[in-house]
């Protein structure tokens, strides 16, 4: 070490040899962001776990950079797959905020697009359209909902393939400028990736959204009601638990979305019940409380919404 | 002859990083950024051709740089400039404009001075054919 030139010695001295991880995490706002994610989203364990991993990677990358070790920008393109109503869109929109907060993307805007925004109707329309969207999304997150519609294998004169090619090119070459999030239903996304092999390998994070458990669905319903200034009475809560169990077995069940629709209908029935007796003095508690009758009036308890179609399709 | 036109023209040519920062400044002000090119950089030629459409709702300069790279690929042998148009009320005009690309062999101009009546002077800019590099 004696023959090391003087200037180099000074540089070596400037690099810290130890890092306070807690302080670093708080400085980057990671602890707060993760806490918020935990609070605001119910269930979705694998999703939260992956976000935590990504955040940790960023933190370590930052420290490595300061320590003068080799570091490279991580690939952040993501694909969210899962059944209807499992919160793919919600998480994607929130992900932009998280990535921006953690310094992964420079601006943090989300451009949410579907096939119509990317693919043109005539020859030569697609490339300018796709590029226009990409330009807007630069420095932020490009969220492509129902990405499998981009590719129509049955129509060979479809221009979706052109959009996919441009997208792939930008995803590969401008990784620091843009994060692409694809979202869609599990099975269709699988076949989409099967027909576009380049896409699968360019996406670093394939996140599977699990269905919600019954307890989680109940919690979501209560959260939604609380946000709207309502609450279940004890008996109503019990009947809603039964409602969830029944609804899950019925066709067209779409997780949180079904719960949201149910909550909306319950509010309708409650309002109807209140208005039916005009001579009555209303109290605050009346306005807030959902009674079991509001829940039990649902069609779900008497055969159910959409159950006819289901039996029809099952018995030819 | 190094053409001096628009902002920063007496500085050395801007690097891509510097251009990015200028563009980001324009975007942060809400100006529409345009890319224009021409093979006739005469000072009185205000009709430069536009590359694509004005880019008015971008958030990040990377989008503009992407277009600029494409424009350079196609018209790398011409002058290319970036301008920022402020559409806010009372301005409605170009607020910044600077060259981002010049051809390998630049245009040559000559200033011809003419003595007119009553001691007035008339100047004419004459386009000269580019000289061989040896001069």
């Amino acid at each position: 070490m004696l023959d090391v030139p003087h200037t180099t010695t000074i540089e070596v001295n400037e690099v810290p040899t130890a890092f306070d991880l807690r302080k670093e995490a708080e400085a980057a706002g990671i602890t707060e962001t993760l806490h918020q994610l935990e609070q605001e989203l119910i269930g979705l364990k694998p999703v939260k776990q992956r976000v935590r991993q990504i955040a940790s990677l960023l933190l370590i990358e930052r420290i490595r950079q300061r320590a003068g070790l080799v570091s490279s920008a991580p690939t952040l393109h993501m694909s969210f797959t899962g059944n209807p109503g499992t919160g793919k869109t919600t998480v994607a929109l929130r992900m932009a905020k998280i990535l921006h907060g953690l310094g992964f993307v420079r601006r943090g805007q989300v451009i949410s697009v579907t096939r119509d925004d990317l693919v043109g109707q005539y020859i030569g329309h697609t490339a300018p359209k796709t590029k226009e969207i990409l330009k807007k999304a630069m420095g932020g997150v490009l969220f492509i909902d129902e990405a499998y519609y981009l590719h129509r294998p049955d129509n060979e004169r479809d221009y979706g393939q052109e959009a996919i090619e441009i997208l792939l090119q930008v995803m590969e070459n401008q990784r620091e400028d843009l994060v692409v999030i694809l979202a869609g239903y599990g099975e269709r996304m699988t076949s989409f990736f099967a027909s576009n092999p380049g896409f699968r390998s360019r996406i670093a994070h394939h996140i599977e959204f699990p269905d919600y458990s019954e307890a989680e669905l109940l919690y979501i319903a209560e959260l939604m009601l609380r946000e709207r200034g309502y609450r279940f009475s004890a008996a109503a809560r019990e009947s809603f638990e039964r409602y969830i169990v029944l609804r899950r077995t019925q066709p067209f069940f779409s997780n949180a979305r079904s719960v949201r629709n149910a909550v909306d209908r319950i509010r309708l029935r409650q309002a109807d019940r209140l208005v039916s007796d005009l001579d009555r003095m209303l109290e605050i508690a009346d306005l807030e409380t959902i009674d079991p009758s509001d829940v039990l009036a649902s069609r779900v308890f008497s055969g159910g919404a959409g159950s006819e179609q289901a039996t029809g399709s099952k018995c030819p | 002859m190094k053409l001096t036109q628009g902002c920063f023209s007496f500085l050395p040519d801007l690097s891509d990083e510097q251009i990015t920062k200028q563009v980001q400044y324009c975007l942060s002000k809400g100006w529409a950024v345009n890319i224009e090119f021409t093979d006739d950089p005469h000072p009185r030629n205000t009709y430069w051709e536009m590359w694509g459409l004005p880019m008015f709702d971008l958030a990040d300069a990377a989008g503009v740089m992407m277009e600029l790279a494409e424009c350079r690929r196609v018209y790398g042998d011409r002058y290319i400039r970036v301008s920022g148009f402020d559409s806010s009320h009372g301005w409605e005009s170009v607020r910044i404009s600077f060259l981002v690309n010049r051809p390998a062999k630049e245009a040559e101009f000559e200033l011809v001075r003419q003595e007119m009546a009553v001691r007035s002077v008339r100047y004419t800019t004459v386009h000269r054919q580019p000289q061989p590099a040896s001069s």
Side-chain angles (χ1 to χ4, degrees):
Chain A
M1 291 300 281
L2 281 174
D3 52 6
V4 172
H6 185 62
T7 46
T8 324
T9 335
I10 288 173
E11 270 174 32
V12 168
N13 283 344
E14 277 173 355
V15 174
T17 47
F19 297 90
D20 183 349
L21 207 51
R22 183 177 294 277
K23 234 167 83 185
E24 296 280 339
E26 266 161 25
I30 287 176
T31 15
E32 198 196 316
T33 319
L34 289 180
H35 181 71
Q36 206 180 347
L37 188 75
E38 197 66 47
Q39 290 278 301
E40 288 175 6
L41 293 176
I42 298 150
L44 301 175
K45 277 222 177 65
V47 178
K48 287 175 183 169
Q49 193 191 349
R50 184 55 78 93
V51 175
R52 213 172 8 248
Q53 286 171 348
I54 294 173
S56 309
L57 178 68
L58 167 85
L59 190 62
I60 297 301
E61 279 292 319
R62 260 191 195 181
I63 294 174
R64 281 174 66 96
Q65 213 168 16
R66 298 232 317 267
L69 294 170
V70 179
S71 74
S72 60
T75 314
L76 282 168
H77 303 312
M78 296 175 211
S79 136
F80 292 173
T81 51
N83 286 332
T86 43
K88 296 181 292 292
T89 313
T90 316
V91 173
L93 295 180
R94 193 147 302 164
M95 188 60 96
K97 241 187 251 170
I98 294 168
L99 292 176
H100 184 49
L102 298 179
F104 274 121
V105 294
R106 289 195 298 270
R107 314 278 161 221
Q109 88 277 23
V110 190
I111 305 293
S112 183
V113 296
T114 52
R115 181 192 155 84
D116 282 355
D117 301 297
L118 295 173
V119 181
Q121 279 188 309
Y122 312 102
I123 201 155
H125 268 203
T126 305
K129 257 184 138 176
T130 308
K131 279 187 183 152
E132 200 64 32
I133 296 289
L134 283 170
K135 267 191 281 174
K136 259 183 231 173
M138 282 292 158
V141 173
L142 177 65
F143 175 59
I144 306 177
D145 208 0
E146 320 232 17
Y148 38 78
Y149 284 132
L150 282 179
H151 180 72
R152 298 235 165 115
D154 45 320
N155 184 356
E156 59 182 44
R157 284 176 61 198
D158 186 69
Y159 304 124
Q161 198 60 39
E162 201 182 340
I164 290 173
E165 276 158 25
I166 296 170
L167 213 58
L168 282 178
Q169 203 186 340
V170 172
M171 277 166 79
E172 187 62 30
N173 299 339
Q174 288 179 285
R175 267 181 293 174
E176 320 80 65
D177 293 330
L178 181 68
V179 172
V180 176
I181 299 179
L182 306 175
Y185 301 153
E187 272 172 41
R188 296 209 217 166
M189 285 301 267
T190 312
S191 60
F192 172 71
F193 285 131
S195 50
N196 297 283
F199 242 121
R200 208 190 156 80
S201 52
R202 275 180 185 88
I203 291 172
H205 307 282
H206 287 267
I207 303 178
E208 196 79 58
F209 280 62
D211 284 343
Y212 289 110
S213 71
E214 276 154 24
E216 282 164 359
L217 288 171
L218 179 66
Y219 189 68
I220 290 171
E222 286 191 310
L223 197 71
M224 283 175 179
L225 283 175
R226 207 179 313 144
E227 276 169 9
R228 292 160 170 80
Y230 291 86
R231 61 187 160 75
F232 281 131
S233 69
R237 189 171 189 271
E238 210 170 287
S239 26
F240 196 77
E241 272 173 54
R242 279 204 289 140
Y243 173 91
I244 290 171
V245 174
L246 284 171
R247 184 71 187 84
R248 265 166 77 92
T249 61
Q250 286 170 2
F252 306 118
F253 173 66
S254 49
N255 288 290
R257 202 174 305 145
S258 289
V259 168
R260 189 183 63 205
N261 292 344
V263 164
D264 285 346
R265 283 194 299 271
I266 285 170
R267 284 170 62 208
L268 282 180
R269 283 187 218 109
Q270 187 237 23
D272 198 32
R273 173 172 58 84
L274 293 179
V275 172
S276 63
D277 187 3
L278 285 175
D279 298 326
R280 186 180 151 201
M281 293 302 285
L282 278 182
E283 286 166 29
I284 299 286
D286 292 325
L287 292 169
E288 279 179 343
T289 315
I290 303 289
D291 271 4
S293 64
D294 302 326
V295 180
L296 292 169
S298 167
R299 271 184 305 168
V300 169
F301 291 99
S302 59
S307 63
E308 283 121 56
Q309 289 106 308
T311 44
S313 64
K314 270 172 197 160
C315 315
Chain B
M1 186 171 104
K2 185 176 182 255
L3 195 80
T4 52
Q5 202 178 102
C7 308
F8 321 121
S9 59
F10 288 97
L11 297 177
D13 285 346
L14 298 185
S15 68
D16 273 11
E17 196 189 334
Q18 289 166 327
I19 295 171
T20 309
K21 281 192 176 157
Q22 292 298 339
V23 170
Q24 192 59 53
Y25 173 79
C26 296
L27 293 177
S28 73
K29 293 274 177 184
W31 302 343
V33 177
N34 315 281
I35 295 175
E36 294 156 297
F37 60 91
T38 191
D39 52 359
D40 173 22
H42 190 282
R44 298 264 167 76
N45 172 25
T46 48
Y47 299 102
W48 289 44
E49 254 162 290
M50 270 199 91
W51 175 264
L53 297 170
M55 291 169 266
F56 45 80
D57 44 7
L58 304 196
D60 193 88
V64 175
M65 296 311 286
M66 205 167 79
E67 286 294 320
L68 179 59
E70 187 66 13
C71 184
R72 275 179 178 155
R73 196 178 63 73
V74 180
Y75 294 115
D77 55 343
R78 301 187 188 186
Y79 290 92
I80 302 175
R81 76 180 175 195
V82 165
S83 63
F85 183 87
D86 184 356
S87 61
S88 60
H89 183 72
W91 274 100
E92 293 136 340
S93 68
V94 168
R95 298 275 299 258
I96 189 175
S97 150
F98 54 98
L99 289 176
V100 291
N101 192 70
R102 29 177 106 242
K105 202 179 265 179
E106 289 210 53
E108 301 269 320
F109 291 103
E110 199 175 353
L111 202 63
V112 175
R113 184 161 55 184
Q114 262 177 300
E115 295 278 343
M116 305 300 286
V118 287
R119 302 190 74 183
S120 68
V121 180
R122 195 165 79 175
Y123 293 100
T124 321
T125 323
V126 180
H127 201 264
R128 222 172 34 181
Q129 285 309 309
Q131 299 294 309
S134 59
S135 64

